[in-house]
Amino acid sequence: MFRSRNRALVEAKKTNSDYRCEVCGMMFKEVYGKSGNGYIIAHHKNPIDNIEKTATTTLDDIALVCANWHAIFHTQKSSLEFRQITQ
Ligand SMILES: [Zn+2]
């Protein structure tokens, strides 16, 4: 559900990263070899239902995380925020 502008932001974020999960440090390439090369999930730190904030998304609003943490954030999104985990 990214808008096109956010899509460009996500690509920029990935390009400048090492594709390592910002929460647990997992890198798909290390675990899955070639199949995981260049794979990481972009997670919006701010709740996605906050339209006003997502309209002005910056690189700092996006976290690159593994599939496990991305799932956790979205199953517990009402009570779990990115900053709580990474602090
Ligand atoms: Zn992770």
Side-chain angles (χ1 to χ4, degrees), residues 1-10 42-63 74 77 83:
M1 294 278 287
F2 290 118
R3 297 172 215 185
S4 56
R5 197 171 66 169
N6 285 348
R7 171 78 61 188
L9 266 177
V10 166
H43 172 68
H44 280 261
K45 295 179 188 176
N46 296 317
I48 204 71
D49 55 1
N50 190 332
I51 299 299
E52 297 306 316
K53 275 192 176 177
T54 57
T56 54
T57 299
T58 68
L59 284 180
D60 287 338
D61 295 324
I62 300 168
H74 281 275
K77 61 184 175 185
R83 285 173 186 83

Side-chain angles (χ1 to χ4, degrees), residues 47 72-81 84:
I72 292 169
F73 283 125
H74 281 275
T75 54
Q76 304 183 31
K77 61 184 175 185
S78 61
S79 59
L80 187 68
E81 290 196 9
Q84 293 178 277

Side-chain angles (χ1 to χ4, degrees), residues 21-70:
C21 173
E22 293 182 23
V23 180
C24 71
M26 182 267 208
M27 187 187 269
F28 280 91
K29 186 172 63 178
E30 291 176 353
V31 178
Y32 300 101
K34 216 163 59 176
S35 301
N37 193 24
Y39 184 73
I40 196 72
I41 296 170
H43 172 68
H44 280 261
K45 295 179 188 176
N46 296 317
I48 204 71
D49 55 1
N50 190 332
I51 299 299
E52 297 306 316
K53 275 192 176 177
T54 57
T56 54
T57 299
T58 68
L59 284 180
D60 287 338
D61 295 324
I62 300 168
L64 300 178
V65 298
C66 67
N68 289 337
W69 272 109
H70 193 240

